[in-house]
Amino acid sequence: MIHSMTAFARHEIKGEWGNAVWEIRSVNQRFLETYFRLPEQFRSIEPVLRERFRKQLNRGKVECNLRFNANPGEKSNLSMNTTLADNLLKHANWINEQTLNSQINPLEIMRWPGVMEAEESDMNAIQAEILAGFDQALEDFIVARADEGANMKALIEQRLDGIIEQANIVKGHMPEIIQWQRKRITDKFADANIELESSRVEQELVLLAQKMDVDEEIDRLFSHVKETRSILKKGGAQGRRLDFMMQEFNREANTLGSKSINADITNSAVELKVLIEQMREQIQNIE
């Protein structure tokens, strides 16, 4: 299955301890880059999260955000490091004496890292629920990438059908164009009252036909369409390979345009370039 690099997922976890919300979003990127915004008490799980992303994703710039809201009713589960708080108060009182006895705000002491701590057993349980919630958010995120990838695949296959159509138009016009060119050359010779041996005329026409021949380009276009469909069907992280196929398509379209001596062929060459560019824009977002 083809996956998009652009997606978003949100998952909320609720418990007696409060609630938490995971949000994961990503955009296209050549490699896999992960960025985290986590509350301080959950910083320790960042390596675990990074590894889980690495196992599931190959490319994309991924931003992961956790919002945690503790339940005010669970205050009894908090403990105070009284030794640390006492030391902070002593130093704060000394500062007060040096600054004309400004008042100390107790909340500032309580906010100091390490003063207020949740019981270890409770934090372990909360952390386990938070990680389970992350796994669900990641699963939803991958589903979103797959759904978007399926839409992109459908759009690319439509353009591949368009390429086949234009290639058949060019192929169908070639006998008519060669015949028209033959008549054009012989008429010019006749108008100039120049008589040439039929063998010489045939040689010139053969050379001209070789220069105008686009069978090789048409065959390659058909081959590239077949290979691109195969890549889409195979699925997985195929963005780079598909991007390479667009380069191959462009090469054949440019060659076809350079050989064009007919308005219909020129129009088909232009339409091919448009279809290829539309596919390339979609492929930029494929993993």
Side-chain angles (χ1 to χ4, degrees):
M1 183 178 292
I2 293 295
H3 287 76
S4 169
M5 284 190 283
T6 304
F8 173 79
R10 182 182 187 275
H11 183 73
E12 183 177 2
I13 315 111
K14 294 181 179 179
E16 294 181 357
W17 42 265
N19 75 300
V21 177
W22 283 107
E23 288 186 352
I24 306 174
R25 55 173 52 84
S26 68
V27 295
N28 59 335
Q29 178 69 283
R30 291 183 61 192
F31 307 103
L32 178 62
E33 294 183 6
T34 52
Y35 300 89
F36 298 91
R37 295 180 61 187
L38 306 174
E40 192 63 35
Q41 61 267 46
F42 295 106
R43 280 290 177 188
S44 61
I45 67 173
E46 183 173 325
V48 177
L49 304 178
R50 196 179 301 277
E51 180 63 16
R52 293 185 186 184
F53 273 132
R54 189 189 65 79
K55 288 181 178 179
Q56 296 285 346
L57 310 176
N58 291 279
R59 298 173 66 197
K61 180 181 178 180
V62 183
E63 296 181 0
C64 180
N65 179 42
L66 172 64
R67 295 200 304 273
F68 178 78
N69 301 302
N71 184 355
E74 294 294 308
K75 294 283 186 182
S76 59
N77 292 330
L78 296 174
S79 62
M80 177 178 285
N81 186 334
T82 55
T83 301
L84 176 58
D86 185 56
N87 286 331
L88 286 172
L89 282 170
K90 288 179 180 178
H91 288 85
N93 284 328
W94 181 86
I95 293 174
N96 275 341
E97 292 174 0
Q98 308 303 314
T99 56
L100 301 178
N101 292 319
S102 60
Q103 294 298 314
I104 302 172
N105 187 345
L107 291 177
E108 294 298 326
I109 299 296
M110 295 174 67
R111 289 195 188 105
W112 190 271
V115 172
M116 301 302 297
E117 296 179 344
E119 295 177 9
E120 190 65 27
S121 58
D122 290 341
M123 281 306 299
N124 288 339
I126 293 172
Q127 195 172 98
E129 290 187 52
I130 293 292
L131 284 173
F134 171 80
D135 289 339
Q136 183 59 55
L138 179 57
E139 182 179 336
D140 295 343
F141 178 69
I142 292 172
V143 169
R145 283 166 65 109
D147 290 343
E148 183 64 20
N151 293 333
M152 291 180 176
K153 178 183 176 184
L155 292 173
I156 292 171
E157 287 178 335
Q158 289 177 6
R159 272 60 180 185
L160 292 174
D161 291 340
I163 288 175
I164 292 291
E165 180 182 350
Q166 294 302 320
N168 283 327
I169 288 174
V170 173
K171 192 172 184 178
H173 277 299
M174 287 314 297
E176 174 189 342
I177 291 173
I178 292 174
Q179 184 61 34
W180 170 79
Q181 190 69 0
R182 177 193 292 268
K183 185 176 184 303
R184 180 168 170 268
I185 291 175
T186 54
D187 287 348
K188 282 188 176 182
F189 286 150
D191 291 343
N193 294 322
I194 299 176
E195 293 185 4
L196 295 175
E197 297 178 2
S198 59
S199 60
R200 174 65 184 278
V201 174
E202 288 300 321
Q203 287 177 3
E204 293 296 327
L205 291 172
V206 167
L207 290 174
L208 180 62
Q210 288 176 346
K211 291 180 180 180
M212 295 168 52
D213 183 31
V214 295
D215 284 346
E216 185 176 353
E217 287 74 19
I218 297 299
D219 289 342
R220 285 178 179 165
L221 283 173
F222 288 149
S223 176
H224 294 339
V225 168
K226 182 178 179 181
E227 177 64 18
T228 303
R229 291 190 192 279
S230 175
I231 294 171
L232 291 171
K233 185 177 180 180
K234 184 183 297 183
Q238 301 288 354
R240 291 189 179 92
R241 192 170 181 184
L242 288 169
D243 190 58
F244 171 76
M245 292 306 303
M246 295 306 104
Q247 297 177 37
E248 296 299 303
F249 273 116
N250 264 319
R251 184 176 291 110
E252 305 310 326
N254 288 334
T255 304
L256 193 63
S258 68
K259 290 184 176 183
S260 174
I261 59 168
N262 175 281
D264 292 329
I265 306 300
T266 300
N267 290 337
S268 290
V270 171
E271 183 62 23
L272 282 171
K273 296 282 286 184
V274 171
L275 292 168
I276 294 166
E277 181 60 22
Q278 289 174 346
M279 286 195 296
R280 192 191 66 80
E281 289 176 356
Q282 297 294 330
I283 287 169
Q284 295 304 306
N285 288 322
I286 289 179
E287 185 178 31

